[in-house]
Amino acid sequence: MKIKATNIEGCFELYPTVFNDERGYFFESYNKVTFENLSGLKVDFVQDNQSFSKRGVLRGLHFQRGIYQQAKLVRVIKGEIEDVVVDIRKDSPTFGQYFKTVLSAENNKQIFVPKGCAHGFLVLSEEAFFNYKCDNYYNKESEGGILYNDVDLNIPWSISDSELIISDKDQVLPRFKDISAL
Ligand SMILES: Cc1cn([C@H]2C[C@H](O)[C@@H](COP(=O)(O)OP(=O)(O)O[C@H]3O[C@H](C)C(=O)[C@H](O)[C@H]3O)O2)c(=O)[nH]c1=O
């Protein structure tokens, strides 16, 4: 497992060691000791999530507030997505910056999304299975979000608006300038 910093403080990519043989492949998708040794962080993940989406589905940008803020370790089991992390920590040196990268079943790449960041993804392949760990439980009342095409963030999603599939809830999320930073 290797890790690589991103432009957002505390957000990093993880590249697992893949063992290929004539049967296929094997890799440790998560190992607490390895994660802690490489990141220097002690993270207690308490909830695993999985979602399935078709091409053009955009989920996010979501976060949870207060004591329910979540750090996440995200990955793709099948397909390919464009993953975006936005720093909404008002005291962070990278406040208001976003990080965007492709996660896929081919690159097996993962992202650690620190607490205080909004997260979302766009499915580029025909279908994608997305799987992630959270270090805090879901709390509907604490949910917040930012409109995916916020003009200030100006995130260059790779699929045009006309082809996007976005939930009713996500279509009416507030603009970045209107959320109270964490
Ligand atoms: C997140 C979550 C949702 N739910 C229920 C609530 C809804 O009835 C249903 C779908 O929820 P939602 O439309 O919020 O699912 P996503 O749009 O995939 O939300 C996720 O999208 C982006 C990419 C994220 O990073 C967040 O983890 C998460 O907000 O699952 C639960 O029961 N538990 C949960 O932890």
Side-chain angles (χ1 to χ4, degrees):
M1 175 80 75
K2 291 186 173 59
I3 71 172
K4 183 181 167 196
T6 69
N7 60 300
I8 290 180
E9 185 168 270
C11 174
F12 48 87
E13 295 176 321
L14 300 98
Y15 297 79
T17 303
V18 181
F19 299 95
N20 293 291
D21 63 27
E22 67 282 3
R23 299 167 298 171
Y25 70 76
F26 173 92
F27 66 87
E28 293 184 355
S29 52
Y30 176 68
N31 178 308
K32 188 174 178 64
V33 169
T34 305
F35 180 88
E36 291 180 354
N37 288 344
L38 284 173
S39 67
L41 298 175
K42 284 211 171 295
V43 182
D44 180 21
F45 294 110
V46 296
Q47 180 177 318
D48 275 17
N49 294 334
Q50 181 156 321
S51 62
F52 167 79
S53 308
K54 297 170 286 189
R55 184 181 189 281
V57 166
L58 194 155
R59 295 175 185 257
L61 299 155
H62 300 157
F63 57 91
Q64 292 193 169
R65 297 184 183 286
I67 61 169
Y68 287 101
Q69 289 186 46
Q70 293 172 311
K72 298 166 188 167
L73 182 60
V74 306
R75 70 192 186 104
V76 165
I77 292 178
K78 180 179 178 187
E80 182 180 65
I81 69 156
E82 194 161 65
D83 199 270
V84 170
V85 180
V86 180
D87 189 348
I88 56 176
R89 297 164 295 189
K90 58 182 177 303
D91 301 329
S92 166
T94 54
F95 173 71
Q97 289 188 34
Y98 70 83
F99 169 70
K100 179 166 80 79
T101 192
V102 171
L103 302 182
S104 72
E106 282 64 46
N107 67 22
N108 295 309
K109 184 160 67 171
Q110 305 178 9
I111 302 175
F112 177 73
V113 181
K115 288 182 194 295
C117 288
H119 175 254
F121 66 85
L122 166 65
V123 178
L124 304 176
S125 49
E126 282 313 304
E127 56 183 28
F129 286 84
F130 188 75
N131 179 271
Y132 55 110
K133 295 181 155 324
C134 304
D135 76 339
N136 210 343
Y137 295 104
Y138 172 62
N139 181 270
K140 188 173 183 54
E141 293 67 37
S142 307
E143 276 194 306
I146 304 168
L147 194 61
Y148 74 99
N149 61 353
D150 176 83
V151 289
D152 297 316
L153 292 175
N154 194 26
I155 296 166
W157 300 102
S158 297
I159 292 181
S160 63
D161 269 30
S162 60
E163 295 180 72
L164 295 182
I165 303 169
I166 300 176
S167 68
D168 294 343
K169 174 187 79 161
D170 287 354
Q171 289 188 35
V172 295
L173 290 173
R175 287 190 51 186
F176 177 64
K177 70 179 182 61
D178 295 329
I179 65 159
S180 47
L182 299 184

